[in-house]
Amino acid sequence: MSVNLKDFIQQLDCMFDEWSYYIDRTNGELLSFQDRYLSLAEELEADPLLPLAPWEQEEVEAAKTMLNHWDDMIRFPDKRELDEYGMMEDFIETLTDPHQRECFEIAISGRGAFRRFKDTLPRFGLEQQWYRYKDEALFDFARKWCEENSLSYTTEDAR
């Protein structure tokens, strides 16, 4: 089965801390779990009588199913591998106006770089250009990552 590259890219762009993301190699399905449910699923194997709230049952059962098929799972790349900061640096290199480049280079210096970068985009009317650039960078990253991990993928509507 193939990974839907469009869905994979959307998930890469919206990963949250304290969540784990996986791809099932057998069917290309994208799976995401709050880390606490994965921990609960593991704890329940040791102590099946742990009390669960009704809303936790479904999440824990899904996590247990995934853990039972662990050899079929591949963990998503983490945010460091994705390197959105590097994407911002590369985007700045594409700018031909020296003033814009300087403003963006200052914006990404130090703490709060992501917020300042995004706040600088409208100042120069570059929001659409950035999002097109980022979409293309995410597409290239996702495609290469799938290939490196021997995952087939479909690119229909991926861009």
Side-chain angles (χ1 to χ4, degrees):
M1 293 298 290
S2 296
V3 174
N4 180 311
L5 211 56
K6 179 181 179 184
D7 294 342
F8 182 45
I9 291 166
Q10 286 176 340
Q11 191 67 71
L12 284 173
D13 200 25
C14 278
M15 292 193 298
F16 298 105
D17 293 335
E18 299 179 18
W19 281 70
S20 295
Y21 301 88
Y22 300 89
I23 297 174
D24 185 333
R25 289 181 186 271
T26 63
N27 60 19
E29 183 180 1
L30 307 178
L31 305 166
S32 59
F33 300 95
Q34 284 185 323
D35 292 340
R36 63 189 225 96
Y37 292 126
L38 287 172
S39 295
L40 277 172
E42 289 172 339
E43 289 174 29
L44 282 170
E45 288 193 10
D47 182 3
L49 299 177
L50 282 175
L52 291 178
W55 64 88
E56 294 176 314
Q57 297 277 346
E58 190 174 318
E59 291 293 329
V60 170
E61 286 304 315
K64 282 171 47 177
T65 299
M66 189 206 63
L67 290 172
N68 290 332
H69 297 93
W70 188 249
D71 291 341
D72 297 327
M73 300 299 150
I74 183 166
R75 191 178 182 101
F76 270 40
D78 65 23
K79 289 183 178 186
R80 287 185 312 274
E81 287 178 83
L82 190 57
D83 189 20
E84 189 172 350
Y85 186 85
M87 287 181 203
M88 293 187 310
E89 289 179 312
D90 293 344
F91 173 76
I92 292 168
E93 290 298 315
T94 69
L95 301 176
T96 56
D97 182 308
H99 176 68
Q100 288 177 353
R101 286 175 89 163
E102 182 180 357
C103 289
F104 277 100
E105 287 167 356
I106 291 168
I108 65 168
S109 299
R111 291 181 61 109
F114 290 95
R115 174 59 35 221
R116 284 193 309 275
F117 176 85
K118 290 180 180 170
D119 289 345
T120 305
L121 288 167
R123 179 174 164 199
F124 297 107
L126 295 174
E127 302 97 329
Q128 293 304 315
Q129 187 175 334
W130 160 246
Y131 289 114
R132 278 192 306 275
Y133 183 89
K134 184 180 176 187
D135 288 347
E136 193 66 33
L138 285 170
F139 176 84
D140 289 342
F141 175 86
R143 184 184 48 76
K144 288 176 188 170
W145 187 86
C146 284
E147 290 169 359
E148 289 168 2
N149 288 279
S150 303
L151 293 169
S152 60
Y153 56 88
T154 59
T155 59
E156 295 174 22
D157 301 322
R159 293 186 184 195

